[in-house]
Amino acid sequence: MPGEYHLAATVDVNPDRESGVDGITYEVMIDEVRMPMMNVIQTFTLDPDMFQVIDAAELFHSNVGNTYETTLRPGKEPLGLGLSRSYVLRPKSEISAEYLQNYTDVYVKISYGPEDQRKEDYIHLQAKPSSRMIEYMKF
């Protein structure tokens, strides 16, 4: 893990009992920065096996398209930067348990700094599942 900031990921399930279509949400959070980080860009993707679990055209998500720059400084607002994405889960009857083995794997890229001195950190995280997610995975 980088020493300049704290990085964590979570995963939660959003069951919809009315429609029967469940969702899964991933969030990556940077906080507790120990040095100024200019123009922070967060990007994450999931394990390729998740294509068999979620109904999506891509597993990639980023804040690179934001119309504003985010700079993080120790003890200053904003105190952190989160990036989240929700996906539609395939029906449980279509999901094989072998594809769920890596559902907590999140591959993150954090890029920051002035344009001529960008620093890029590549990190493999294990997303912390919510209690609701753990219960859902017992099917």
Side-chain angles (χ1 to χ4, degrees):
M1 293 294 285
E4 295 87 3
Y5 52 88
H6 174 256
L7 184 65
T10 59
V11 58
D12 193 12
V13 68
N14 312 98
D16 188 336
R17 306 217 190 289
E18 290 180 25
S19 71
V21 177
D22 298 332
I24 188 169
T25 301
Y26 288 85
E27 181 175 33
V28 174
M29 181 68 149
I30 298 174
D31 59 8
E32 300 176 19
V33 299
R34 294 169 189 87
M35 61 172 276
M37 297 173 66
M38 296 176 52
N39 190 17
V40 180
I41 303 293
Q42 289 177 294
T43 302
F44 74 81
T45 191
L46 306 177
D47 187 278
D49 280 347
M50 290 302 289
F51 272 124
Q52 306 302 319
V53 177
I54 62 175
D55 191 11
E58 63 181 35
L59 302 175
F60 175 83
H61 188 54
S62 178
N63 71 339
V64 73
N66 285 3
T67 57
Y68 56 90
E69 287 186 8
T70 300
T71 296
L72 301 174
R73 293 181 180 87
K76 305 281 185 190
E77 295 285 334
L79 297 177
L81 181 61
L83 180 64
S84 65
R85 179 160 180 200
S86 294
Y87 303 90
V88 173
L89 284 166
R90 296 184 187 277
K92 285 183 177 183
S93 61
E94 294 179 17
I95 300 174
S96 171
E98 69 184 276
Y99 295 117
L100 292 173
Q101 293 177 21
N102 302 323
Y103 84 96
T104 60
D105 287 340
V106 181
Y107 300 91
V108 181
K109 176 184 174 187
I110 304 295
S111 175
Y112 56 96
E115 289 302 319
D116 60 340
Q117 298 174 348
R118 298 292 286 171
K119 181 169 181 183
E120 296 177 339
D121 297 329
Y122 296 87
I123 302 123
H124 174 209
L125 291 176
Q126 295 296 309
K128 180 180 179 186
S130 67
S131 56
R132 188 170 47 182
M133 186 77 217
I134 292 168
E135 190 62 34
Y136 183 88
M137 296 305 271
K138 291 180 180 176
F139 72 90

